Amino acid sequence: TGTEQQSSGGTDGRVAFLDYGDFGGGSNPQANYNPYLDATRLGATDYVFEQLVVYDKYACEAKPWLATEYAWKDPKTLIWTLREGVKWNDGKPFTADDVVFTYELLKQHKALDNTGIWRYLSAVQATDAKTVSMTFGEPGAAAFTLFGEIKIVPKHVWSLVDDPVTFTNPEKPVGTGPFTVKAFNPQQLTLGRNPDYWQADKVQVDELRFHKADGGGQVDQLKLSRGEYDHNGMFVPDIKKTFVDRDPEHNHYWYPPGGSISFYMNLTKAPFNDTAFRKALLTAFNRQEIADKAQLGYVTPASQTALVVPGQAAWLPSDIPNQGVMGFDLAEADAALTAAGYPKNGQGKRLGKDGRPIAFTFRTPGEWTDWVQAGKIIVGNLTDLGFDVRQEGPTPQTYEADRAAGNYDTLLGVHGGSCNMFRNFQEPLASDQSAPIGKKALSNFVRWTDPRTDQLIETLRTATEESAQKAAVADLTKVMVDEVPMIPLWYGAKWFQYRTARAVGWPSEDNPYAAPGDNLLIITNLKPATAAK
Amino acid sequence: MTLLEVDQLSVTYTPRDQPAVRAVRDVSFTISDGEFVGLLGESGCGKSTLGNALLRLLSPPARIIGGRVLFDGADLATLHTRQLRELRWTNLSTVFQSSMNSLNPVIRIREQFADTFAAHRVTDNVDTRAAELMELVSLDRRVLRAFPHELSGGMKQRVALALALALRPKLVLLDEPTTGLDVVVQRSILDRLAELRQELGFAVLFISHDLGTVLQMADRVLVMYAGEIVENRPAAELRSDPRHPYTRGLLGSYADPRQPEVRITSIPGRTPDLSVSHPGCLFAPRCPYAEDACTQTHPALLPDHGGLVRCLVAQADRLPTTPPGPLTGATVDPAFVATGGAEVASISPGIADAAGTSSAGAAGARSPNAGSGSLSAADTDEATGAGETAAILVVHDVHKRYTTRKGLRTNTVTAISGVSLALHRGRVTALVGQSGSGKTTIARLITGIERPTTGEVRFNGGGDGDGDPTRVDRLRGRALRDYRRHVQMVFQDPFAALNPTRTVAYALSRPLVNYGGLRGGAARDRAAELLESVGLFPAGQFLDKLPHQLSGGQRQRVVTARALAPDPAVLIADEPISMLDVSIRAEILELLADLVRTRRLAMLYITHDLLSARLLADEVLVLNRGELVESGPTAEVIGAPRNDYTKLLLDSIPRL
Amino acid sequence: MSTPAPAVPTPSRNTQTAVEQGHRSGMRGRLLGRQPGWFAILWRNRKCRIGLLILAGFVLVALFAPVLAPYDPRSNDFPTSLGPTGDHWLGTTVQGEDVFSQLVVGARTSLIVGLAAGLLSTLVGLVIGLTAGYAGGWVDEILSFLINLGLVVPALPLMVTLAAYSPVRGLWLIIFVISVTGWAYGARIKRSQIITLRTRDYITAARFAGDGTARIIAREIVPNMTSLIVVGFMGAALAAIGGEAGLAFLGLGDPLTVSWGTMLNQASLGGAMITGQWAWLIAPGLTLALLITSFTLINFGIDALSNPHLREDG
Amino acid sequence: MAYFARRFAFFLATLWAAVTLNFLIPRLQPGDPAEAIVSRIGGKGQAVDPAQLEAVRTMLGAPGGNLFEQYVRYLGAVFSGDFGVSYSYFPYSVTHMIGEALPWTLVLVGVTQILSFVIGTLLGTWAAYRRNTRVDSVITLGSTFVGTLPFFWIALLLIYVFAITLRWFPERGGYGGGSSPGWNWLFISDAFQHSVLPGLALLITGPIGWIIGMRNNMVQSLGEDHARLAVARGLPERRIAITYGARIAILPNVTGFAIALGSILGGTVLVETVFNYPGMGRLLLESVSNKDFPLMQAIFLFTTIGVLIANFLADILYGFLDPRVRKAENS
Ligand SMILES: Nc1ncnc2c1ncn2[C@@H]1O[C@H](COP(=O)(O)OP(=O)(O)OP(=O)(O)O)[C@@H](O)[C@H]1O
Ligand SMILES: Nc1ncnc2c1ncn2[C@@H]1O[C@H](COP(=O)(O)OP(=O)(O)OP(=O)(O)O)[C@@H](O)[C@H]1O
Ligand SMILES: [Mg+2]
Ligand SMILES: [Mg+2]
């Protein structure tokens, strides 16, 4: 395509601009740079505002950012040391007051506290201009990823705002980040490099241009395949053919795994309440086929441990074979089921303990076509085992409501995948996240209630030492493998396409320094393509 | 000087779905300057088609397949569009059959005049000229500002006439210009037309099936039958000496009700199917004088007795001579009676049906109610005799007001005020009056379709006949249904009164099932009997037919049979013959008269046609604007009207 | 004049058959004017004949879809994103399903939707139109208001909104939604028709004959509205087929059902344009157009049945 | 006058019904608006924090009181133009979002609707004027065929041919990223370029209905007696076609056109979706897929009111155009 040379003409050898994909905010985006309004804010906030630490969400490593250091004074007290020389992009200095103001803001306006940090925090104070201390009601390490990554906003701007919940911060949002908002219209958002950025030398791109997308429709795919985006993060069918092959030298993609998508069984119903039954199903699903067919080969089969491998492999207990990823073996499943007391009858129907054929429903939201496709494979596998399974495709709302209330037999659910191990296990498994059938469960939709699990989660929550955390996680993965509260099937993919024609240094399978979406990490790692050559 | 010359003109309809119809065959005639020529014939005989052909207004599937039309020496068929356009209206204008639709509904009357003037480059001031024309047809000039829908039918027709005369044409073609209008209005328009012709001197081709009017107005009459001109003769001669048997038949079906003696006859049979070719005379199957040759040889239109006639028998001078003065009872051509046609005035129970089969035509059973001079005495006798029997149905001082809502305002129309009348078994009461006088409203009140605003309708015939009278005006639901077992209605329009998708058997079996409790076969048998009792036999041939397979007269009889099915005591007949051709009317009238006599029915006969009232009724009530203005024995009311309105009604009938 | 004869007259019933036949031809003749059988009229109209042939083709395909479709339309055992090949005439989808099989099975969906939604909205329109027209008075006022409301409420937004509110997404929902939005027009026409029919003398006559309202409606009125009902049905079916495709294309359809609309939706999402899978994108659109065309063509004939003006047009 | 009063009464009653339906439907719906908003704010898959939920609920002024009180409040809000906050564009108000989308739709759809009507009426008139000739067949058959092509499909093809392959026009959106909305030449020409393809898609299928309707009506009115009499009166053919044909034939289309104009407010969901046009249709579809009930309701209400008003105006206009109507209403 021969477009590689022309456009690195930015100042000082920097990349003049990069074309990025969508910037959020719906089909008719409105200026909204309130970093706490996650669903409606524009993508620019990632580059305008910064947080105390930045997580590399691939390896789950915290990198110092606005804070240079943090230390647990005791399990309930955390001391942050803030970076020197950081300035707001309106020239005012960044101080501990701003940090305290930000956390207080979320305390006063619960609507903005998306991650619920004030469930753990009890106070945030500035010890001096560069030091902030946080105190917790209980040991707070488990929530670190949550409150460490709160975007810090300037007190001198936000304290004047009447209602921060409806504040869209539309004019020149003030932040500490590497970019400022240069121009906006609903079709395009342009960010300009912040020359006074505290690590300006690492930002090698003068301008980022985000283009309004049509939600992954044809036109966007086409533009991507024509090389009109330097980076995008969208679903692309048959990416090899439609993107990589068009310019194999520059076009690349990397789809690291996200949370697990699992087969949820309603544990309050027979036969799903029988551990032996569930265990027998471990090898019943053709995970590879799901990954290849329903998910177009963009994903990998998931580990039964509920951890995301290989990224979180460090947390795995060493004695788990194949990182906990189960094979597909219908014969084995059949044998195990028969052994567990669920034989097949003459017509090949699988019988329950009551001697009657086992029949149940399986649901995915009807609109999520890839799930529906996966569901077909799942139902096929189960049918092969002699179950009578009916697949249903309700609307997402119904699906969600029924899932929360426990009105289902089996369905697909998502869990885990974050860098917060406590949450990864607490949300799907803790009994306090459950509820009786008919009442809304918060997140334990399978209704797993097990004192030992609860205790392990509690240990994880309060453990400040990494070794203690690892021990607890290891035990929890054992629960997953031995007692099978749910059966993870595959990892949701994080879409990430990039071109190396103008800029290089994107995270990739070979250099996984960040996960897609870790924008601050990525932008500070990009280099002009010509310079790199 | 000859203005219009039509020479061997033939028109064929070639519809896609049906066989071609030869609607006009070899028609030749001429019209001289200022001449008033009438064109007479039954419905469907090709009058309008001929008219349209003369105007070159035929549209597919109609096509002129032969002949010429010369207007002022120019052949209309070969004129260029532009020449034709110039000739139109300046020389040759027209008034169409339907007054309702001949004006553009969305532009004002004035514009329609302006249009015409503009098209023919008339430079006069439109308003002055149009106002003059309005005056000409006795309309207020304010009418010019109106839209067509704001005018009554009569006014529209006058506007159409004014429009036709706008450019002082030499020939005006009037195609039934007054059909559908009220008798009184009709009269006034025709009178105005006659005056205008006197003044302006244009020639007229006047198309109509109304024999009286044509004879009264025309200088010369063309009689058309099945697409052919069968007779062409000066009006006076045609009346005194009709030469074609068909003309004689037509004349026989018409009479002046004011005459002391009134008799009419019908022409049996139906018009031939024009889509097949007939070798002989087209009228032969219906003709009482037909000879063998008539079925073989097609007669030509040849001079005869000072006119032209298309009849072998007449041309050979073998026609029986008939006494002159055809429009009185004495002159009815006995031939029609002889062949089974009905001579209503002297009721014969037999009725000629389509096949021409005749029944035991025991003539002579004198009607008590109508006809010859000697009847007036009998009439009175009967009337007094009936007066003594108790009335079966009494309408007492009934008022009916209709309230119409116009958005937020309401409007009250008084349709009936203070009407009282009584019906007696075995007697016919005629209710006459002009359109809108409230006749139908009375029928609806009597039959319980509507309730009077004040007043009573009492019925004495329920159950065994004694006991308290039924208050009809309070009936609902089941009771109303029970009442209708005794009081039935014959609907005005035989085409509308039968469901086109239901067979005769179905229509007849419903009252039998509902009132007689008959089922299946029994109902069918009874239906067959009913059909035969109204003269439709063999009944089996009709039971499974659908209405469109029946002629108008046959339908009317089915409707009557249905009304008779519950064996009612009272029959309300609302203008039962208004839609029918003159030749069928007599047939139906005879049937009704016969029923009254044989079943001792009480009948209310509603009509605006005084001739039929004269023939059928014992007693006549005259209704004007919802009030009874005159009543009495038929011969008295019609023979010596006292009320002005009655006189007006009678004057509307052409005097011959 | 060709009247389709009642099936196989047996000699022993000859007389009766003759009567029946006469009767039926009469019925038909009436229904369609003074005409030969309805089928003959439809058939003779060239546009209509072509339409009938196309429709018959679709019906056959739909009936024998399982036989005609080379593969299970949802089986994704094939290589993904193929262009047309010998094995897969129209290629495969991005998920490795056979496009041609989907096309064949999609015909079924479209016809079912057309038939069901057409029937349903015709029925609703008929009941409401009949009731309003026949009952008159305040019943009519209320129902007319409903009808007018149904007419002014914008259909597609209503469809979209209704589809959004409903808890399940299935073909029947689509059918329901289309019927809910599509009945009003038919109801209005039927109402005005019945108002003219209601005042006909033969209806009053039926009352004089002692018939009840229900019977009058069923036996006297409805038979006179046959051609109107048929035209209405065709129109509704046509709108339903297009509506289903549109909704499915917007992603508001039932993804578990194979229809041309869902095919187009998936072709659009699945990058058919980029991968150059023309067949996948064009085929459902063209077949859809063809099916709708067949209905429109047939409608020409049906219009001609009731409107002699159109009959001369060939 | 009575005629207008009646139309106006109908207008008010329908308006009331539409508003009330709009009130009722979401209330028959299970679920809590606050929850919908929180799950929007928090993003998919996040567990909802009850405290946050409560905060949002308070902020929204979640419905309290019995249904009737809610209804009264709702009516008040609607008539003061307050449709609440959009969930998917939180914290922007529904009114703001509609204000953003409406001009696009009004211009694109409005212009194409009017053009469609004009073109359709002219072609229909021409076909009727030359009925049963080749012109007639070409127009009738051609429009029948084109009219059956799925709309969105034509749009897809247009994009492929003119935007992607030939690159004559931009492939989507209402304007480019470079220009900024406003009354400047750059923006207007940019917006025009963007509207060509969607406009074309609308114009291809738009006139069909008018063509057929106009043609059939006109053939009919030219067959009526008054038109035949006009021929007999020697009026020029053209004059007859216009005053006695088209002038009458167009009347039944007026109401249809008004409804079409009114429904502009709802945009054209399919075309706007295919072209990513920032109009009402796409906003509606988006609100639907995001379960943004306030926005959805408001758009629906807007559309309905638009049609209603247009319908009302058409009725009035009709009253002037067709002198027969008022009379008919009265009887
Ligand atoms: N469009 C048509 N297609 C086929 N036949 C037609 C058509 N119009 C008229 N006819 C036939 O042509 C014949 C003459 O019709 P025409 O209208 O001229 O009769 P008419 O004498 O004017 O009758 P009326 O007194 O009822 O007006 C009739 O038999 C009729 O059936
Ligand atoms: N339903 C109604 N609502 C309002 N006015 C009515 C109604 N029915 C009849 N009228 C009025 O009552 C008057 C009498 O009408 P009716 O139908 O009884 O007249 P008619 O003598 O039968 O006339 P025609 O000879 O034309 O049949 C007319 O002025 C008519 O306008
Ligand atoms: Mg005539
Ligand atoms: Mg009357």
Side-chain angles (χ1 to χ4, degrees), chain B residues 440 492 574-575:
Chain B
T440 300
Q492 176 165 4
D574 188 2
E575 313 211 15

Side-chain angles (χ1 to χ4, degrees), chain D residues 90-149:
Chain D
F90 186 87
Y92 283 93
S93 71
V94 165
T95 323
H96 174 85
M97 292 316 300
I98 289 181
E100 290 276 306
L102 200 55
W104 294 101
T105 283
L106 280 186
V107 173
L108 173 72
V109 192
V111 169
T112 49
Q113 287 280 21
I114 293 171
L115 275 182
S116 294
F117 183 72
V118 171
I119 295 174
T121 304
L122 287 179
L123 283 181
T125 307
W126 193 28
Y129 184 59
R130 297 248 162 272
R131 62 190 172 285
N132 300 331
T133 65
R134 182 168 308 200
V135 172
D136 185 17
S137 322
V138 167
I139 292 180
T140 351
L141 281 180
S143 54
T144 314
F145 179 71
V146 175
T148 58
L149 295 174

Side-chain angles (χ1 to χ4, degrees), chain B residues 52-69:
Chain B
N52 284 334
L54 299 185
L55 296 163
R56 237 180 97 175
L57 275 183
L58 291 175
S59 55
R63 208 157 41 85
I64 295 182
I65 54 161
R68 287 188 312 158
V69 180

Side-chain angles (χ1 to χ4, degrees), chain B residues 52 85 98 115-116 120 149, chain D residues 225 228 233-234 239 244 323:
Chain B
N52 284 334
R85 207 158 70 64
S98 50
D115 255 356
T116 313
H120 296 282
H149 72 267
Chain D
D225 272 354
R228 288 179 49 238
R233 287 197 343 240
R239 168 88 184 159
Y244 292 77

Side-chain angles (χ1 to χ4, degrees), chain B residues 517-572:
Chain B
L518 298 176
R519 291 275 172 270
R524 198 179 159 88
D525 292 346
R526 179 79 188 105
E529 279 172 46
L530 280 168
L531 280 181
E532 300 199 345
S533 80
V534 295
L536 291 176
F537 42 101
Q541 199 187 317
F542 294 98
L543 277 175
D544 292 312
K545 282 195 167 157
L546 285 163
H548 77 279
Q549 295 164 320
L550 304 176
S551 74
Q554 288 170 334
R555 287 186 206 208
Q556 191 71 63
R557 285 186 242 187
V558 173
V559 172
T560 311
R562 178 174 59 188
L564 296 174
D567 208 358
V570 178
L571 194 65
I572 312 292

